[in-house]
Amino acid sequence: MNKLKFVITILSLCYISFGYSQETRPNIVFLLSDDQTSIATGCYGNSQVLTPNMDNLADEGVLFKNHYNTTAICMASRAIIMTGMYEYKTGCNFMHGPLKPEKFQKSYPVLLKEAGYFTGFAGKFGFAVSDGESWDENTYDVIPSDAFDVWGGGPGQTNYKTAKNPTIAQYAEKYPHSTRAYGAWAHDFIKTAKKSGKPFCMSISFKAPHLPFTPDKYFDYVYKNKKYKKPDNYGAENATHLSAQAKSGRQYNAYNFWRDSEESYQTAITKYNQLIHGVDYSLGMIRKSLEELGVAENTIIIFTSDNGYSCGAHNLAGKVLPYEEASKSPLIIYDPRKSKKESGLKREEVTANIDLAPTILSLAGVSVPKNMDGKNLEKLIDKPKKFRRKSITLTNMWGNDEIQEMTVVTKDWKYIYWQYSDHRMLPTEELFHIGKDRLEMTNLANNPTYNKQLKKMRKLYDKRYKHLVKNTIKTNDYPKYKVLFDRKANAKSKQQYLTGNYEEVLKQQAIEKAKKAHHKK
């Protein structure tokens, strides 16, 4: 028995020896939307959207105003959420590889199950758990469904059509769109979990609002004939100050439906918001089930997303990049055991997806493994002055070479180091005073007035870079970032680590796959 399992066993025995029943530990509901930027939520200040259940959850719980995904892309972010580690420690992302089984064994659902929790998962799992050292479409489907007591998940991106998801297909007749079907699945899981006599942890990862924007027709009335005002940083005219690197990838040059015409923008934003409204409705279904089944008073609800979405801000369309819209998501934690005086709280300190696993474990009374990089957010909720965090790291290690970067963020400042250089561009620094410039309209890196702040952020960056150097996984093509993200490295030293355009990488992988298949014949 390893040390972690021994500690968990002792804790479980303590519950029994001191006369406490397992039921005194809280149930935990963890809900994850897909590609939901924080500003697409009413309680984050958007008066153009309808998210009443998310808003009510924030009114009764705690809203975290500056919540970042340390890697803003689904596969990496989901592995980070479950393990509480930065991507360069999980080793899991597209173009890199799956999560190793031994790392998954220290994820929050596995640790909770070992500690006596009844666990369930539904929706898009989003990453592979395998001993493989490279990523391809086959390893993407290797998911640990047997690690949960009840499984309602699926491989890959899953499908908006309920009937096309085998594990929830039984709900298709009443709920043809998967978002509401997950709400129905939740009711049945909670009912089963209650019968088990154990505290439960239910994790649901919605497909919504991920592309393709295919909202539930049940909600067509919600935004019918609605016209949206574009954000003040919308369009190419508000991207002239951004680095050339940021404007080199598909996040800037694709997804043209955000900018082809006024009509295409309105259609896209309506569908995006309607998908989010569906998730909001499902949250309402789940809360109703908790009440009906008599477990609401002891069930903590955590709601967040795996990354944001740019929606045309700075002429950007997707996610991945370290700007506010793409890297930030809502985070709401509701604990019904708290007094009403503690409801409706807002916290401005920087939080991140690395914090979710240690927070969930701590709420359940389970020891947090030392390998986790995140912090327990209970302290930020209860004693914010004692919550000490100077900065977090954002990285992009996916896509074309130009957009791969490392960023350091504090509550008020963001420093981005764009490492790539060639005949078109040089390594670039961006400095944003996000405490006052949330739309990131002014890059202060070249403003002499802010030299002192720039030096301070460089120092923080170098500190976070040292952590990366010390902890980077040795496989899955991650060691190269020790060079690429080094502010002092020259272009020549970086050259050998450049991979070329992402589409070209995929093309070469397809060629190699075809060759292997041919040789087998």
Side-chain angles (χ1 to χ4, degrees), residues 403-430:
I403 64 169
Q404 297 191 28
E405 49 67 37
M406 179 171 153
T407 298
V408 62
V409 183
T410 69
K411 183 170 72 74
D412 292 311
W413 293 91
K414 180 185 292 183
Y415 171 84
I416 307 170
Y417 176 64
W418 298 98
Q419 53 80 27
Y420 183 84
S421 64
D422 63 13
H423 64 283
R424 302 166 298 159
M425 61 190 79
L426 295 172
T428 302
E429 295 175 303
E430 290 181 334

Short mmCIF file of all heavy atoms in Angstrom, two decimals, residues 403-430:
data_model
loop_
_atom_site.label_atom_id
_atom_site.label_comp_id
_atom_site.label_asym_id
_atom_site.label_seq_id
_atom_site.Cartn_x
_atom_site.Cartn_y
_atom_site.Cartn_z
N ILE A 403 2.32 30.92 -32.23
CA ILE A 403 1.41 31.26 -31.12
C ILE A 403 1.74 30.53 -29.83
O ILE A 403 1.05 30.71 -28.82
CB ILE A 403 -0.06 31.00 -31.49
CG1 ILE A 403 -0.31 29.51 -31.75
CG2 ILE A 403 -0.47 31.85 -32.69
CD1 ILE A 403 -1.79 29.15 -31.87
N GLN A 404 2.77 29.72 -29.81
CA GLN A 404 3.14 29.03 -28.56
C GLN A 404 3.90 30.02 -27.67
O GLN A 404 4.92 30.57 -28.07
CB GLN A 404 3.96 27.78 -28.88
CG GLN A 404 3.13 26.77 -29.68
CD GLN A 404 3.78 25.42 -29.79
OE1 GLN A 404 4.56 25.00 -28.93
NE2 GLN A 404 3.46 24.69 -30.85
N GLU A 405 3.36 30.23 -26.49
CA GLU A 405 3.88 31.29 -25.62
C GLU A 405 3.71 30.92 -24.15
O GLU A 405 3.05 29.96 -23.81
CB GLU A 405 3.17 32.61 -25.90
CG GLU A 405 1.64 32.54 -25.94
CD GLU A 405 0.97 32.23 -24.61
OE1 GLU A 405 1.46 32.72 -23.57
OE2 GLU A 405 -0.04 31.50 -24.60
N MET A 406 4.31 31.76 -23.31
CA MET A 406 4.13 31.63 -21.86
C MET A 406 3.81 33.00 -21.30
O MET A 406 4.34 34.03 -21.73
CB MET A 406 5.39 31.07 -21.21
CG MET A 406 5.29 30.93 -19.69
SD MET A 406 6.69 30.00 -19.00
CE MET A 406 6.73 30.69 -17.34
N THR A 407 2.90 33.01 -20.32
CA THR A 407 2.36 34.24 -19.75
C THR A 407 2.35 34.13 -18.23
O THR A 407 2.16 33.05 -17.68
CB THR A 407 0.92 34.46 -20.26
OG1 THR A 407 0.94 34.62 -21.67
CG2 THR A 407 0.27 35.67 -19.61
N VAL A 408 2.52 35.26 -17.57
CA VAL A 408 2.35 35.31 -16.13
C VAL A 408 1.27 36.35 -15.82
O VAL A 408 1.25 37.43 -16.42
CB VAL A 408 3.67 35.62 -15.39
CG1 VAL A 408 4.22 36.98 -15.77
CG2 VAL A 408 3.48 35.53 -13.89
N VAL A 409 0.36 35.99 -14.91
CA VAL A 409 -0.78 36.85 -14.59
C VAL A 409 -0.87 37.08 -13.09
O VAL A 409 -0.75 36.14 -12.30
CB VAL A 409 -2.10 36.21 -15.08
CG1 VAL A 409 -3.28 37.15 -14.80
CG2 VAL A 409 -2.06 35.88 -16.54
N THR A 410 -1.11 38.34 -12.72
CA THR A 410 -1.46 38.67 -11.34
C THR A 410 -2.87 39.26 -11.36
O THR A 410 -3.50 39.31 -12.41
CB THR A 410 -0.48 39.70 -10.75
OG1 THR A 410 -0.67 40.97 -11.41
CG2 THR A 410 0.97 39.26 -10.92
N LYS A 411 -3.34 39.69 -10.23
CA LYS A 411 -4.69 40.26 -10.18
C LYS A 411 -4.84 41.48 -11.09
O LYS A 411 -5.88 41.69 -11.70
CB LYS A 411 -5.06 40.64 -8.74
CG LYS A 411 -6.49 41.17 -8.58
CD LYS A 411 -6.87 41.29 -7.12
CE LYS A 411 -6.16 42.43 -6.44
NZ LYS A 411 -6.71 43.77 -6.86
N ASP A 412 -3.78 42.26 -11.22
CA ASP A 412 -3.87 43.51 -11.96
C ASP A 412 -3.04 43.57 -13.24
O ASP A 412 -3.24 44.47 -14.06
CB ASP A 412 -3.46 44.68 -11.06
CG ASP A 412 -4.45 44.91 -9.94
OD1 ASP A 412 -5.66 44.97 -10.22
OD2 ASP A 412 -4.02 45.02 -8.77
N TRP A 413 -2.10 42.62 -13.39
CA TRP A 413 -1.18 42.73 -14.52
C TRP A 413 -1.04 41.40 -15.27
O TRP A 413 -1.16 40.32 -14.68
CB TRP A 413 0.20 43.18 -14.04
CG TRP A 413 0.21 44.58 -13.53
CD1 TRP A 413 0.00 44.98 -12.24
CD2 TRP A 413 0.40 45.77 -14.30
NE1 TRP A 413 0.06 46.36 -12.15
CE2 TRP A 413 0.31 46.87 -13.41
CE3 TRP A 413 0.66 46.03 -15.65
CZ2 TRP A 413 0.45 48.19 -13.81
CZ3 TRP A 413 0.80 47.34 -16.06
CH2 TRP A 413 0.70 48.40 -15.16
N LYS A 414 -0.76 41.53 -16.55
CA LYS A 414 -0.50 40.35 -17.39
C LYS A 414 0.71 40.63 -18.28
O LYS A 414 0.78 41.65 -18.97
CB LYS A 414 -1.71 40.03 -18.26
CG LYS A 414 -1.52 38.80 -19.17
CD LYS A 414 -2.70 38.60 -20.11
CE LYS A 414 -3.94 38.21 -19.35
NZ LYS A 414 -5.09 37.95 -20.25
N TYR A 415 1.66 39.69 -18.24
CA TYR A 415 2.87 39.78 -19.06
C TYR A 415 2.93 38.57 -19.98
O TYR A 415 2.88 37.42 -19.51
CB TYR A 415 4.12 39.84 -18.19
CG TYR A 415 5.42 39.71 -18.95
CD1 TYR A 415 6.02 40.82 -19.54
CD2 TYR A 415 6.05 38.47 -19.07
CE1 TYR A 415 7.22 40.70 -20.24
CE2 TYR A 415 7.25 38.34 -19.75
CZ TYR A 415 7.83 39.46 -20.35
OH TYR A 415 9.01 39.33 -21.04
N ILE A 416 3.02 38.81 -21.28
CA ILE A 416 3.06 37.73 -22.27
C ILE A 416 4.41 37.77 -22.98
O ILE A 416 4.84 38.83 -23.46
CB ILE A 416 1.94 37.87 -23.32
CG1 ILE A 416 0.57 38.00 -22.65
CG2 ILE A 416 1.95 36.68 -24.28
CD1 ILE A 416 -0.55 38.38 -23.61
N TYR A 417 5.06 36.61 -23.06
CA TYR A 417 6.30 36.50 -23.81
C TYR A 417 6.06 35.64 -25.04
O TYR A 417 5.87 34.42 -24.95
CB TYR A 417 7.42 35.90 -22.96
CG TYR A 417 8.71 35.69 -23.74
CD1 TYR A 417 9.41 36.78 -24.26
CD2 TYR A 417 9.22 34.41 -23.96
CE1 TYR A 417 10.58 36.59 -24.98
CE2 TYR A 417 10.39 34.22 -24.68
CZ TYR A 417 11.06 35.32 -25.19
OH TYR A 417 12.22 35.13 -25.92
N TRP A 418 6.04 36.29 -26.20
CA TRP A 418 5.89 35.60 -27.48
C TRP A 418 7.28 35.23 -27.96
O TRP A 418 8.06 36.09 -28.39
CB TRP A 418 5.18 36.50 -28.50
CG TRP A 418 3.79 36.88 -28.09
CD1 TRP A 418 3.39 38.04 -27.49
CD2 TRP A 418 2.61 36.09 -28.26
NE1 TRP A 418 2.03 38.03 -27.27
CE2 TRP A 418 1.53 36.83 -27.74
CE3 TRP A 418 2.36 34.83 -28.81
CZ2 TRP A 418 0.21 36.36 -27.75
CZ3 TRP A 418 1.05 34.35 -28.82
CH2 TRP A 418 -0.01 35.11 -28.30
N GLN A 419 7.60 33.94 -27.89
CA GLN A 419 8.98 33.49 -28.05
C GLN A 419 9.45 33.38 -29.51
O GLN A 419 10.65 33.38 -29.78
CB GLN A 419 9.15 32.13 -27.38
CG GLN A 419 8.13 31.06 -27.81
CD GLN A 419 8.41 30.38 -29.12
OE1 GLN A 419 9.56 30.29 -29.54
NE2 GLN A 419 7.37 29.91 -29.79
N TYR A 420 8.54 33.32 -30.45
CA TYR A 420 8.90 32.97 -31.83
C TYR A 420 9.51 34.15 -32.59
O TYR A 420 9.11 35.30 -32.41
CB TYR A 420 7.66 32.49 -32.58
CG TYR A 420 7.92 32.04 -33.99
CD1 TYR A 420 8.35 30.75 -34.26
CD2 TYR A 420 7.76 32.92 -35.07
CE1 TYR A 420 8.60 30.32 -35.56
CE2 TYR A 420 8.01 32.51 -36.37
CZ TYR A 420 8.43 31.21 -36.61
OH TYR A 420 8.69 30.81 -37.90
N SER A 421 10.46 33.82 -33.48
CA SER A 421 11.02 34.85 -34.37
C SER A 421 11.39 34.23 -35.71
O SER A 421 11.76 33.06 -35.79
CB SER A 421 12.25 35.50 -33.74
OG SER A 421 13.29 34.56 -33.59
N ASP A 422 11.26 35.02 -36.76
CA ASP A 422 11.74 34.65 -38.09
C ASP A 422 11.90 35.96 -38.87
O ASP A 422 11.98 37.04 -38.27
CB ASP A 422 10.80 33.66 -38.79
CG ASP A 422 9.40 34.21 -39.04
OD1 ASP A 422 9.20 35.45 -38.91
OD2 ASP A 422 8.50 33.42 -39.38
N HIS A 423 11.92 35.89 -40.22
CA HIS A 423 12.13 37.09 -41.01
C HIS A 423 10.96 38.06 -40.90
O HIS A 423 11.08 39.25 -41.24
CB HIS A 423 12.34 36.72 -42.48
CG HIS A 423 11.15 36.08 -43.11
ND1 HIS A 423 10.80 34.76 -42.89
CD2 HIS A 423 10.20 36.58 -43.95
CE1 HIS A 423 9.71 34.47 -43.57
NE2 HIS A 423 9.32 35.55 -44.22
N ARG A 424 9.82 37.60 -40.40
CA ARG A 424 8.62 38.45 -40.30
C ARG A 424 8.45 39.12 -38.95
O ARG A 424 7.81 40.16 -38.82
CB ARG A 424 7.36 37.62 -40.58
CG ARG A 424 7.31 36.92 -41.93
CD ARG A 424 6.19 35.89 -41.92
NE ARG A 424 6.44 34.86 -40.90
CZ ARG A 424 5.49 34.07 -40.38
NH1 ARG A 424 4.23 34.22 -40.77
NH2 ARG A 424 5.82 33.17 -39.48
N MET A 425 9.01 38.50 -37.89
CA MET A 425 8.72 38.97 -36.54
C MET A 425 9.85 38.64 -35.58
O MET A 425 10.65 37.72 -35.82
CB MET A 425 7.41 38.33 -36.03
CG MET A 425 7.45 36.82 -35.96
SD MET A 425 5.82 36.05 -35.64
CE MET A 425 5.07 36.13 -37.28
N LEU A 426 9.91 39.39 -34.50
CA LEU A 426 10.89 39.18 -33.44
C LEU A 426 10.17 38.75 -32.17
O LEU A 426 8.96 38.98 -32.03
CB LEU A 426 11.67 40.47 -33.18
CG LEU A 426 12.56 40.98 -34.32
CD1 LEU A 426 13.10 42.36 -33.96
CD2 LEU A 426 13.70 40.00 -34.58
N PRO A 427 10.88 38.13 -31.22
CA PRO A 427 10.24 37.84 -29.93
C PRO A 427 9.64 39.12 -29.37
O PRO A 427 10.24 40.20 -29.44
CB PRO A 427 11.41 37.33 -29.08
CG PRO A 427 12.34 36.71 -30.05
CD PRO A 427 12.27 37.61 -31.27
N THR A 428 8.46 38.99 -28.81
CA THR A 428 7.69 40.17 -28.42
C THR A 428 7.19 40.06 -26.99
O THR A 428 6.78 38.98 -26.54
CB THR A 428 6.48 40.35 -29.37
OG1 THR A 428 6.96 40.45 -30.72
CG2 THR A 428 5.68 41.59 -29.02
N GLU A 429 7.20 41.19 -26.29
CA GLU A 429 6.61 41.27 -24.95
C GLU A 429 5.32 42.09 -25.02
O GLU A 429 5.25 43.08 -25.74
CB GLU A 429 7.57 41.95 -23.98
CG GLU A 429 8.86 41.19 -23.72
CD GLU A 429 9.80 41.99 -22.84
OE1 GLU A 429 10.14 43.11 -23.23
OE2 GLU A 429 10.18 41.48 -21.78
N GLU A 430 4.34 41.64 -24.26
CA GLU A 430 3.13 42.44 -24.08
C GLU A 430 2.86 42.60 -22.59
O GLU A 430 3.01 41.64 -21.82
CB GLU A 430 1.93 41.77 -24.77
CG GLU A 430 2.02 41.81 -26.29
CD GLU A 430 0.83 41.17 -26.98
OE1 GLU A 430 0.18 40.27 -26.37
OE2 GLU A 430 0.55 41.53 -28.13
#
